[in-house]
Amino acid sequence: DIVMTQGALPNPVPSGESVSITCRSSKSLLYSDGKTYLNWYLQRPGQSPQLLIYWMSTRASGVSDRFSGSGSGTDFTLTINPVQADDIATYYCQQSRESPWTFGGGTKLELK
Amino acid sequence: VQLVESGGGLVQPGKSLKLSCSASGFTFSSYGMHWIRQAPGKGLDWVAYISSSSGTVYADAVKGRFTISRDNAKNTLYLQLNSLKSEDTAIYYCAREGSSTGDYWGQGVMVTVSS
């Protein structure tokens, strides 16, 4: 199984700053079609997860351009710039390269 | 797009439960669907997938105990949970497979396994 490992944040983060959340996969998520199958979700307290980024860097419909995704085949970054109060949530990376689909452990964002 | 789960509750270890996910706002039969769960205070854990042609895939932790199915005429996804264990206690979400594993998610339904 592909293991997804997320980094922690130096919480709390000042509002208005730029924040980067890291994620690493144990296997390359680059597929033969040229797409990298890495997704990012956010989950606000008490709510369902919602899709932010797919194919490593494509924003989902309606997602603010303050959110951006980047990376290589195994190392990925979600950047929020600038971070706002509404961004308080836990962020998950997830691979859809192959089954079983696996998630990172989550990274919690707290604001100062 | 709307996904609404139902059927959760409190059940004893070893018993069974069937979850439903009612879909609307899209052509249900054209999409693969997932069940994903979240134990209290924990992260997300993928459970099962069914393709638009009803092919299925399961996580090792539930293989042989859970069954995912769909009724395209009723726009409904199901998850049959048998031989339940305490570690199956979680919120169960259904999610639509679009450009990612879950481009839309339901609100979730709670399953508690306890004697």
Side-chain angles (χ1 to χ4, degrees):
Chain A
D1 298 0
I2 298 177
V3 177
M4 306 298 293
T5 303
Q6 291 185 233
L9 285 173
N11 284 319
V13 176
S15 182
E17 299 266 304
S18 177
V19 167
S20 291
I21 299 170
T22 60
C23 172
R24 175 169 290 176
S25 60
S26 61
K27 177 180 175 178
S28 175
L29 303 185
L30 177 62
Y31 193 58
S32 55
D33 61 2
K35 296 184 175 75
T36 300
Y37 285 84
L38 184 281
N39 309 304
W40 288 99
Y41 301 87
L42 78 78
Q43 185 178 32
R44 297 187 175 95
Q47 295 187 17
S48 305
Q50 61 183 87
L51 178 66
L52 286 174
I53 302 282
Y54 60 96
W55 298 340
M56 188 175 71
S57 60
T58 302
R59 273 188 297 276
S61 175
V63 173
S64 169
D65 60 5
R66 296 186 298 105
F67 293 90
S68 62
S70 63
S72 63
T74 58
D75 289 273
F76 311 98
T77 302
L78 174 70
T79 300
I80 311 171
N81 185 25
V83 68
Q84 298 178 354
D86 191 46
D87 301 333
I88 294 173
T90 299
Y91 293 81
Y92 294 93
C93 62
Q94 178 248 339
Q95 66 84 17
S96 50
R97 166 71 172 76
E98 62 186 42
S99 65
W101 293 267
T102 46
F103 291 85
T107 299
K108 193 171 184 179
L109 173 63
E110 298 172 355
L111 289 190
K112 198 176 287 184
Chain B
V1 173
Q2 192 170 16
L3 299 169
V4 179
E5 300 94 337
S6 61
L10 173 64
V11 61
Q12 293 178 329
K15 299 295 187 182
S16 299
L17 205 60
K18 188 170 186 176
L19 306 182
S20 299
C21 169
S22 178
S24 60
F26 65 102
T27 305
F28 177 71
S29 60
S30 298
Y31 287 84
M33 299 291 296
H34 295 268
W35 285 100
I36 296 158
R37 67 185 179 183
Q38 186 170 36
K42 302 296 185 183
L44 300 169
D45 182 32
W46 172 79
V47 173
Y49 168 73
I50 185 165
S51 69
S52 57
S53 55
S54 295
T56 58
V57 188
Y58 296 93
D60 286 346
V62 307
K63 202 173 294 182
R65 299 189 300 122
F66 291 8
T67 303
I68 189 171
S69 61
R70 64 192 301 159
D71 184 334
N72 290 335
K74 294 183 177 180
N75 289 340
T76 302
L77 173 73
Y78 301 101
L79 186 68
Q80 177 70 44
L81 295 72
N82 296 333
S83 303
L84 281 160
K85 306 175 182 180
S86 58
E87 52 263 42
D88 296 318
T89 293
I91 297 172
Y92 285 74
Y93 298 100
C94 62
R96 190 183 82 166
E97 165 93 6
S99 50
S100 72
T101 301
D103 61 350
Y104 289 94
W105 297 61
Q107 86 287 353
V109 63
M110 185 71 203
V111 173
T112 303
V113 183
S114 175
S115 54

